[in-house]
Amino acid sequence: GAEKHFLPAKLINGGIAGLIGVTCVFPIDLAKTRLQNQQNGQRMYTSMSDCLIKTIRSEGYFGMYRGKQS
C-alpha cells in the first residue's frame, strides 16, 4: 500500500535527474564533436572551454543545445 504513494515522487525525481544530466552533458558532447570534426589545417578551437566560449559568443547560450551544424 504505502509503496504506491512513492511512485509519482520517484518518477518526478528521475525526470529531474535526467534533465539535469542532459543539460550538463549535451554542451560537453557538442564541444567534443566539434573538436573531433576540426581539420588539422583549420583549427577553430584550441580547447573544450574555448569551443564552448566561442559557441556561446556566436550562437548564444542555447546554441549549445541546437546540435551539430552542417
Side-chain angles (χ1 to χ4, degrees), residues 23-38 43-57 64:
T23 302
C24 297
V25 170
F26 201 87
I28 294 169
D29 192 54
L30 175 77
K32 177 191 69 123
T33 302
R34 288 186 178 185
L35 285 167
Q36 288 175 337
N37 286 340
Q38 290 186 120
R43 295 187 73 82
M44 284 184 62
Y45 311 111
T46 57
S47 66
M48 189 170 280
S49 58
D50 180 53
C51 179
L52 292 174
I53 289 168
K54 286 180 179 176
T55 300
I56 291 170
R57 285 184 182 159
M64 294 187 297

PDB file of all heavy atoms in Angstrom, residues 23-38 43-57 64:
ATOM      1  N   THR A  23      21.278  18.368 -19.525  1.00  0.00           N
ATOM      2  CA  THR A  23      21.677  19.777 -19.548  1.00  0.00           C
ATOM      3  C   THR A  23      23.184  19.929 -19.387  1.00  0.00           C
ATOM      4  O   THR A  23      23.798  20.798 -20.012  1.00  0.00           O
ATOM      5  CB  THR A  23      20.942  20.557 -18.433  1.00  0.00           C
ATOM      6  OG1 THR A  23      19.537  20.405 -18.632  1.00  0.00           O
ATOM      7  CG2 THR A  23      21.293  22.019 -18.451  1.00  0.00           C
ATOM      8  N   CYS A  24      23.788  19.096 -18.571  1.00  0.00           N
ATOM      9  CA  CYS A  24      25.232  19.170 -18.339  1.00  0.00           C
ATOM     10  C   CYS A  24      26.025  18.459 -19.424  1.00  0.00           C
ATOM     11  O   CYS A  24      27.083  18.936 -19.837  1.00  0.00           O
ATOM     12  CB  CYS A  24      25.584  18.556 -16.979  1.00  0.00           C
ATOM     13  SG  CYS A  24      24.869  19.428 -15.598  1.00  0.00           S
ATOM     14  N   VAL A  25      25.543  17.337 -19.896  1.00  0.00           N
ATOM     15  CA  VAL A  25      26.309  16.503 -20.816  1.00  0.00           C
ATOM     16  C   VAL A  25      26.240  17.008 -22.254  1.00  0.00           C
ATOM     17  O   VAL A  25      27.228  16.942 -22.983  1.00  0.00           O
ATOM     18  CB  VAL A  25      25.834  15.033 -20.727  1.00  0.00           C
ATOM     19  CG1 VAL A  25      26.438  14.186 -21.831  1.00  0.00           C
ATOM     20  CG2 VAL A  25      26.188  14.461 -19.365  1.00  0.00           C
ATOM     21  N   PHE A  26      25.113  17.548 -22.687  1.00  0.00           N
ATOM     22  CA  PHE A  26      24.946  17.918 -24.089  1.00  0.00           C
ATOM     23  C   PHE A  26      25.965  18.955 -24.555  1.00  0.00           C
ATOM     24  O   PHE A  26      26.576  18.769 -25.618  1.00  0.00           O
ATOM     25  CB  PHE A  26      23.519  18.395 -24.358  1.00  0.00           C
ATOM     26  CG  PHE A  26      23.125  18.302 -25.804  1.00  0.00           C
ATOM     27  CD1 PHE A  26      22.590  17.141 -26.317  1.00  0.00           C
ATOM     28  CD2 PHE A  26      23.318  19.377 -26.655  1.00  0.00           C
ATOM     29  CE1 PHE A  26      22.245  17.044 -27.658  1.00  0.00           C
ATOM     30  CE2 PHE A  26      22.976  19.286 -27.997  1.00  0.00           C
ATOM     31  CZ  PHE A  26      22.437  18.120 -28.487  1.00  0.00           C
ATOM     32  N   PRO A  27      26.209  20.044 -23.813  1.00  0.00           N
ATOM     33  CA  PRO A  27      27.232  21.005 -24.263  1.00  0.00           C
ATOM     34  C   PRO A  27      28.633  20.393 -24.330  1.00  0.00           C
ATOM     35  O   PRO A  27      29.400  20.695 -25.245  1.00  0.00           O
ATOM     36  CB  PRO A  27      27.184  22.121 -23.217  1.00  0.00           C
ATOM     37  CG  PRO A  27      25.842  22.013 -22.605  1.00  0.00           C
ATOM     38  CD  PRO A  27      25.488  20.554 -22.647  1.00  0.00           C
ATOM     39  N   ILE A  28      28.964  19.520 -23.394  1.00  0.00           N
ATOM     40  CA  ILE A  28      30.275  18.867 -23.394  1.00  0.00           C
ATOM     41  C   ILE A  28      30.393  17.972 -24.620  1.00  0.00           C
ATOM     42  O   ILE A  28      31.425  17.955 -25.302  1.00  0.00           O
ATOM     43  CB  ILE A  28      30.483  18.072 -22.087  1.00  0.00           C
ATOM     44  CG1 ILE A  28      30.545  19.040 -20.905  1.00  0.00           C
ATOM     45  CG2 ILE A  28      31.732  17.210 -22.155  1.00  0.00           C
ATOM     46  CD1 ILE A  28      30.477  18.370 -19.554  1.00  0.00           C
ATOM     47  N   ASP A  29      29.329  17.237 -24.934  1.00  0.00           N
ATOM     48  CA  ASP A  29      29.339  16.359 -26.093  1.00  0.00           C
ATOM     49  C   ASP A  29      29.419  17.173 -27.390  1.00  0.00           C
ATOM     50  O   ASP A  29      30.115  16.788 -28.330  1.00  0.00           O
ATOM     51  CB  ASP A  29      28.094  15.474 -26.083  1.00  0.00           C
ATOM     52  CG  ASP A  29      28.179  14.347 -27.089  1.00  0.00           C
ATOM     53  OD1 ASP A  29      29.182  13.604 -27.043  1.00  0.00           O
ATOM     54  OD2 ASP A  29      27.251  14.215 -27.903  1.00  0.00           O
ATOM     55  N   LEU A  30      28.732  18.307 -27.439  1.00  0.00           N
ATOM     56  CA  LEU A  30      28.791  19.186 -28.609  1.00  0.00           C
ATOM     57  C   LEU A  30      30.222  19.677 -28.821  1.00  0.00           C
ATOM     58  O   LEU A  30      30.737  19.638 -29.945  1.00  0.00           O
ATOM     59  CB  LEU A  30      27.853  20.378 -28.421  1.00  0.00           C
ATOM     60  CG  LEU A  30      27.919  21.436 -29.519  1.00  0.00           C
ATOM     61  CD1 LEU A  30      27.166  20.963 -30.760  1.00  0.00           C
ATOM     62  CD2 LEU A  30      27.360  22.749 -29.039  1.00  0.00           C
ATOM     63  N   ALA A  31      30.880  20.132 -27.748  1.00  0.00           N
ATOM     64  CA  ALA A  31      32.261  20.614 -27.851  1.00  0.00           C
ATOM     65  C   ALA A  31      33.186  19.482 -28.294  1.00  0.00           C
ATOM     66  O   ALA A  31      34.054  19.686 -29.156  1.00  0.00           O
ATOM     67  CB  ALA A  31      32.711  21.198 -26.512  1.00  0.00           C
ATOM     68  N   LYS A  32      32.998  18.298 -27.740  1.00  0.00           N
ATOM     69  CA  LYS A  32      33.832  17.148 -28.117  1.00  0.00           C
ATOM     70  C   LYS A  32      33.679  16.842 -29.606  1.00  0.00           C
ATOM     71  O   LYS A  32      34.657  16.650 -30.316  1.00  0.00           O
ATOM     72  CB  LYS A  32      33.445  15.928 -27.287  1.00  0.00           C
ATOM     73  CG  LYS A  32      34.215  14.660 -27.660  1.00  0.00           C
ATOM     74  CD  LYS A  32      33.612  13.447 -27.002  1.00  0.00           C
ATOM     75  CE  LYS A  32      32.273  13.160 -27.598  1.00  0.00           C
ATOM     76  NZ  LYS A  32      32.002  11.911 -28.180  1.00  0.00           N
ATOM     77  N   THR A  33      32.446  16.852 -30.091  1.00  0.00           N
ATOM     78  CA  THR A  33      32.188  16.565 -31.501  1.00  0.00           C
ATOM     79  C   THR A  33      32.805  17.626 -32.394  1.00  0.00           C
ATOM     80  O   THR A  33      33.429  17.308 -33.408  1.00  0.00           O
ATOM     81  CB  THR A  33      30.669  16.475 -31.747  1.00  0.00           C
ATOM     82  OG1 THR A  33      30.130  15.459 -30.903  1.00  0.00           O
ATOM     83  CG2 THR A  33      30.358  16.146 -33.195  1.00  0.00           C
ATOM     84  N   ARG A  34      32.658  18.891 -32.022  1.00  0.00           N
ATOM     85  CA  ARG A  34      33.231  19.959 -32.840  1.00  0.00           C
ATOM     86  C   ARG A  34      34.755  19.902 -32.841  1.00  0.00           C
ATOM     87  O   ARG A  34      35.377  20.159 -33.865  1.00  0.00           O
ATOM     88  CB  ARG A  34      32.744  21.325 -32.351  1.00  0.00           C
ATOM     89  CG  ARG A  34      31.281  21.545 -32.696  1.00  0.00           C
ATOM     90  CD  ARG A  34      30.824  22.932 -32.363  1.00  0.00           C
ATOM     91  NE  ARG A  34      29.430  23.098 -32.762  1.00  0.00           N
ATOM     92  CZ  ARG A  34      28.776  24.240 -32.687  1.00  0.00           C
ATOM     93  NH1 ARG A  34      29.362  25.321 -32.234  1.00  0.00           N
ATOM     94  NH2 ARG A  34      27.512  24.310 -33.074  1.00  0.00           N
ATOM     95  N   LEU A  35      35.337  19.571 -31.700  1.00  0.00           N
ATOM     96  CA  LEU A  35      36.798  19.433 -31.654  1.00  0.00           C
ATOM     97  C   LEU A  35      37.265  18.272 -32.527  1.00  0.00           C
ATOM     98  O   LEU A  35      38.270  18.366 -33.233  1.00  0.00           O
ATOM     99  CB  LEU A  35      37.270  19.235 -30.211  1.00  0.00           C
ATOM    100  CG  LEU A  35      37.256  20.481 -29.326  1.00  0.00           C
ATOM    101  CD1 LEU A  35      37.439  20.093 -27.870  1.00  0.00           C
ATOM    102  CD2 LEU A  35      38.334  21.456 -29.750  1.00  0.00           C
ATOM    103  N   GLN A  36      36.542  17.171 -32.503  1.00  0.00           N
ATOM    104  CA  GLN A  36      36.911  15.997 -33.296  1.00  0.00           C
ATOM    105  C   GLN A  36      36.734  16.250 -34.791  1.00  0.00           C
ATOM    106  O   GLN A  36      37.457  15.682 -35.600  1.00  0.00           O
ATOM    107  CB  GLN A  36      36.078  14.784 -32.886  1.00  0.00           C
ATOM    108  CG  GLN A  36      36.457  14.226 -31.547  1.00  0.00           C
ATOM    109  CD  GLN A  36      35.541  13.089 -31.108  1.00  0.00           C
ATOM    110  OE1 GLN A  36      34.410  12.984 -31.557  1.00  0.00           O
ATOM    111  NE2 GLN A  36      36.032  12.254 -30.213  1.00  0.00           N
ATOM    112  N   ASN A  37      35.785  17.083 -35.160  1.00  0.00           N
ATOM    113  CA  ASN A  37      35.499  17.335 -36.574  1.00  0.00           C
ATOM    114  C   ASN A  37      36.406  18.395 -37.187  1.00  0.00           C
ATOM    115  O   ASN A  37      36.316  18.645 -38.384  1.00  0.00           O
ATOM    116  CB  ASN A  37      34.034  17.739 -36.762  1.00  0.00           C
ATOM    117  CG  ASN A  37      33.102  16.562 -36.603  1.00  0.00           C
ATOM    118  OD1 ASN A  37      33.509  15.420 -36.714  1.00  0.00           O
ATOM    119  ND2 ASN A  37      31.845  16.842 -36.322  1.00  0.00           N
ATOM    120  N   GLN A  38      37.248  19.014 -36.382  1.00  0.00           N
ATOM    121  CA  GLN A  38      38.182  20.002 -36.912  1.00  0.00           C
ATOM    122  C   GLN A  38      39.180  19.324 -37.839  1.00  0.00           C
ATOM    123  O   GLN A  38      39.610  18.206 -37.592  1.00  0.00           O
ATOM    124  CB  GLN A  38      38.969  20.675 -35.781  1.00  0.00           C
ATOM    125  CG  GLN A  38      38.172  21.592 -34.928  1.00  0.00           C
ATOM    126  CD  GLN A  38      39.062  22.310 -33.954  1.00  0.00           C
ATOM    127  OE1 GLN A  38      39.112  23.506 -33.977  1.00  0.00           O
ATOM    128  NE2 GLN A  38      39.777  21.606 -33.114  1.00  0.00           N
ATOM    129  N   ARG A  43      42.026  24.789 -37.588  1.00  0.00           N
ATOM    130  CA  ARG A  43      41.643  24.602 -36.192  1.00  0.00           C
ATOM    131  C   ARG A  43      40.939  25.867 -35.688  1.00  0.00           C
ATOM    132  O   ARG A  43      41.564  26.897 -35.545  1.00  0.00           O
ATOM    133  CB  ARG A  43      42.859  24.287 -35.334  1.00  0.00           C
ATOM    134  CG  ARG A  43      43.492  22.957 -35.722  1.00  0.00           C
ATOM    135  CD  ARG A  43      44.585  22.567 -34.774  1.00  0.00           C
ATOM    136  NE  ARG A  43      44.077  22.124 -33.486  1.00  0.00           N
ATOM    137  CZ  ARG A  43      43.628  20.896 -33.248  1.00  0.00           C
ATOM    138  NH1 ARG A  43      43.626  20.007 -34.199  1.00  0.00           N
ATOM    139  NH2 ARG A  43      43.202  20.561 -32.066  1.00  0.00           N
ATOM    140  N   MET A  44      39.641  25.749 -35.431  1.00  0.00           N
ATOM    141  CA  MET A  44      38.881  26.881 -34.908  1.00  0.00           C
ATOM    142  C   MET A  44      38.998  26.977 -33.392  1.00  0.00           C
ATOM    143  O   MET A  44      38.918  28.054 -32.835  1.00  0.00           O
ATOM    144  CB  MET A  44      37.402  26.736 -35.270  1.00  0.00           C
ATOM    145  CG  MET A  44      37.061  27.062 -36.692  1.00  0.00           C
ATOM    146  SD  MET A  44      35.272  26.964 -36.975  1.00  0.00           S
ATOM    147  CE  MET A  44      34.652  28.231 -35.875  1.00  0.00           C
ATOM    148  N   TYR A  45      39.151  25.836 -32.747  1.00  0.00           N
ATOM    149  CA  TYR A  45      39.118  25.780 -31.288  1.00  0.00           C
ATOM    150  C   TYR A  45      40.427  25.207 -30.764  1.00  0.00           C
ATOM    151  O   TYR A  45      40.971  24.272 -31.326  1.00  0.00           O
ATOM    152  CB  TYR A  45      37.958  24.902 -30.813  1.00  0.00           C
ATOM    153  CG  TYR A  45      36.637  25.227 -31.477  1.00  0.00           C
ATOM    154  CD1 TYR A  45      36.048  24.339 -32.359  1.00  0.00           C
ATOM    155  CD2 TYR A  45      35.991  26.423 -31.218  1.00  0.00           C
ATOM    156  CE1 TYR A  45      34.832  24.623 -32.969  1.00  0.00           C
ATOM    157  CE2 TYR A  45      34.781  26.733 -31.822  1.00  0.00           C
ATOM    158  CZ  TYR A  45      34.208  25.832 -32.691  1.00  0.00           C
ATOM    159  OH  TYR A  45      33.025  26.125 -33.291  1.00  0.00           O
ATOM    160  N   THR A  46      40.895  25.762 -29.653  1.00  0.00           N
ATOM    161  CA  THR A  46      42.130  25.269 -29.051  1.00  0.00           C
ATOM    162  C   THR A  46      41.868  24.282 -27.924  1.00  0.00           C
ATOM    163  O   THR A  46      42.720  23.466 -27.600  1.00  0.00           O
ATOM    164  CB  THR A  46      42.974  26.440 -28.506  1.00  0.00           C
ATOM    165  OG1 THR A  46      42.185  27.172 -27.564  1.00  0.00           O
ATOM    166  CG2 THR A  46      43.409  27.360 -29.641  1.00  0.00           C
ATOM    167  N   SER A  47      40.687  24.381 -27.307  1.00  0.00           N
ATOM    168  CA  SER A  47      40.350  23.502 -26.187  1.00  0.00           C
ATOM    169  C   SER A  47      38.832  23.394 -26.071  1.00  0.00           C
ATOM    170  O   SER A  47      38.094  24.101 -26.769  1.00  0.00           O
ATOM    171  CB  SER A  47      40.926  24.051 -24.874  1.00  0.00           C
ATOM    172  OG  SER A  47      40.285  25.273 -24.548  1.00  0.00           O
ATOM    173  N   MET A  48      38.372  22.548 -25.175  1.00  0.00           N
ATOM    174  CA  MET A  48      36.947  22.383 -24.972  1.00  0.00           C
ATOM    175  C   MET A  48      36.326  23.678 -24.441  1.00  0.00           C
ATOM    176  O   MET A  48      35.265  24.106 -24.908  1.00  0.00           O
ATOM    177  CB  MET A  48      36.672  21.221 -24.011  1.00  0.00           C
ATOM    178  CG  MET A  48      35.207  20.864 -23.924  1.00  0.00           C
ATOM    179  SD  MET A  48      34.902  19.345 -23.022  1.00  0.00           S
ATOM    180  CE  MET A  48      35.268  18.149 -24.286  1.00  0.00           C
ATOM    181  N   SER A  49      36.990  24.327 -23.485  1.00  0.00           N
ATOM    182  CA  SER A  49      36.445  25.579 -22.941  1.00  0.00           C
ATOM    183  C   SER A  49      36.428  26.661 -24.014  1.00  0.00           C
ATOM    184  O   SER A  49      35.479  27.452 -24.088  1.00  0.00           O
ATOM    185  CB  SER A  49      37.229  26.020 -21.708  1.00  0.00           C
ATOM    186  OG  SER A  49      38.583  26.193 -22.023  1.00  0.00           O
ATOM    187  N   ASP A  50      37.457  26.710 -24.867  1.00  0.00           N
ATOM    188  CA  ASP A  50      37.499  27.673 -25.968  1.00  0.00           C
ATOM    189  C   ASP A  50      36.317  27.439 -26.908  1.00  0.00           C
ATOM    190  O   ASP A  50      35.665  28.385 -27.349  1.00  0.00           O
ATOM    191  CB  ASP A  50      38.826  27.542 -26.718  1.00  0.00           C
ATOM    192  CG  ASP A  50      38.938  28.513 -27.881  1.00  0.00           C
ATOM    193  OD1 ASP A  50      38.745  29.725 -27.657  1.00  0.00           O
ATOM    194  OD2 ASP A  50      39.233  28.061 -28.999  1.00  0.00           O
ATOM    195  N   CYS A  51      36.025  26.181 -27.195  1.00  0.00           N
ATOM    196  CA  CYS A  51      34.906  25.827 -28.067  1.00  0.00           C
ATOM    197  C   CYS A  51      33.577  26.284 -27.457  1.00  0.00           C
ATOM    198  O   CYS A  51      32.745  26.883 -28.141  1.00  0.00           O
ATOM    199  CB  CYS A  51      34.890  24.322 -28.315  1.00  0.00           C
ATOM    200  SG  CYS A  51      33.537  23.768 -29.353  1.00  0.00           S
ATOM    201  N   LEU A  52      33.377  26.019 -26.171  1.00  0.00           N
ATOM    202  CA  LEU A  52      32.125  26.411 -25.514  1.00  0.00           C
ATOM    203  C   LEU A  52      31.974  27.929 -25.466  1.00  0.00           C
ATOM    204  O   LEU A  52      30.883  28.457 -25.721  1.00  0.00           O
ATOM    205  CB  LEU A  52      32.063  25.807 -24.107  1.00  0.00           C
ATOM    206  CG  LEU A  52      31.914  24.288 -24.050  1.00  0.00           C
ATOM    207  CD1 LEU A  52      32.017  23.792 -22.618  1.00  0.00           C
ATOM    208  CD2 LEU A  52      30.606  23.834 -24.678  1.00  0.00           C
ATOM    209  N   ILE A  53      33.065  28.643 -25.177  1.00  0.00           N
ATOM    210  CA  ILE A  53      33.015  30.109 -25.110  1.00  0.00           C
ATOM    211  C   ILE A  53      32.688  30.683 -26.487  1.00  0.00           C
ATOM    212  O   ILE A  53      31.829  31.570 -26.622  1.00  0.00           O
ATOM    213  CB  ILE A  53      34.349  30.669 -24.568  1.00  0.00           C
ATOM    214  CG1 ILE A  53      34.479  30.342 -23.077  1.00  0.00           C
ATOM    215  CG2 ILE A  53      34.452  32.178 -24.803  1.00  0.00           C
ATOM    216  CD1 ILE A  53      35.868  30.577 -22.506  1.00  0.00           C
ATOM    217  N   LYS A  54      33.348  30.183 -27.533  1.00  0.00           N
ATOM    218  CA  LYS A  54      33.084  30.680 -28.884  1.00  0.00           C
ATOM    219  C   LYS A  54      31.669  30.340 -29.340  1.00  0.00           C
ATOM    220  O   LYS A  54      31.029  31.137 -30.039  1.00  0.00           O
ATOM    221  CB  LYS A  54      34.112  30.121 -29.867  1.00  0.00           C
ATOM    222  CG  LYS A  54      35.471  30.775 -29.713  1.00  0.00           C
ATOM    223  CD  LYS A  54      36.482  30.216 -30.688  1.00  0.00           C
ATOM    224  CE  LYS A  54      37.825  30.915 -30.516  1.00  0.00           C
ATOM    225  NZ  LYS A  54      38.863  30.328 -31.372  1.00  0.00           N
ATOM    226  N   THR A  55      31.167  29.180 -28.938  1.00  0.00           N
ATOM    227  CA  THR A  55      29.793  28.798 -29.288  1.00  0.00           C
ATOM    228  C   THR A  55      28.805  29.743 -28.623  1.00  0.00           C
ATOM    229  O   THR A  55      27.861  30.214 -29.267  1.00  0.00           O
ATOM    230  CB  THR A  55      29.507  27.345 -28.869  1.00  0.00           C
ATOM    231  OG1 THR A  55      30.426  26.477 -29.545  1.00  0.00           O
ATOM    232  CG2 THR A  55      28.083  26.936 -29.215  1.00  0.00           C
ATOM    233  N   ILE A  56      29.020  30.054 -27.355  1.00  0.00           N
ATOM    234  CA  ILE A  56      28.118  30.971 -26.643  1.00  0.00           C
ATOM    235  C   ILE A  56      28.178  32.363 -27.268  1.00  0.00           C
ATOM    236  O   ILE A  56      27.147  33.003 -27.469  1.00  0.00           O
ATOM    237  CB  ILE A  56      28.468  31.024 -25.135  1.00  0.00           C
ATOM    238  CG1 ILE A  56      28.122  29.692 -24.475  1.00  0.00           C
ATOM    239  CG2 ILE A  56      27.725  32.168 -24.448  1.00  0.00           C
ATOM    240  CD1 ILE A  56      28.633  29.545 -23.060  1.00  0.00           C
ATOM    241  N   ARG A  57      29.377  32.833 -27.609  1.00  0.00           N
ATOM    242  CA  ARG A  57      29.520  34.168 -28.210  1.00  0.00           C
ATOM    243  C   ARG A  57      28.869  34.257 -29.586  1.00  0.00           C
ATOM    244  O   ARG A  57      28.263  35.269 -29.920  1.00  0.00           O
ATOM    245  CB  ARG A  57      30.993  34.547 -28.314  1.00  0.00           C
ATOM    246  CG  ARG A  57      31.591  34.926 -26.987  1.00  0.00           C
ATOM    247  CD  ARG A  57      33.021  35.379 -27.136  1.00  0.00           C
ATOM    248  NE  ARG A  57      33.588  35.687 -25.826  1.00  0.00           N
ATOM    249  CZ  ARG A  57      34.886  35.708 -25.580  1.00  0.00           C
ATOM    250  NH1 ARG A  57      35.757  35.451 -26.539  1.00  0.00           N
ATOM    251  NH2 ARG A  57      35.321  35.987 -24.376  1.00  0.00           N
ATOM    252  N   MET A  64      24.384  25.940 -27.641  1.00  0.00           N
ATOM    253  CA  MET A  64      24.988  24.694 -27.179  1.00  0.00           C
ATOM    254  C   MET A  64      24.016  23.523 -27.256  1.00  0.00           C
ATOM    255  O   MET A  64      24.398  22.369 -27.188  1.00  0.00           O
ATOM    256  CB  MET A  64      25.486  24.845 -25.742  1.00  0.00           C
ATOM    257  CG  MET A  64      26.621  25.814 -25.606  1.00  0.00           C
ATOM    258  SD  MET A  64      27.317  25.828 -23.954  1.00  0.00           S
ATOM    259  CE  MET A  64      25.929  26.385 -22.986  1.00  0.00           C
TER     260      MET A  64
END
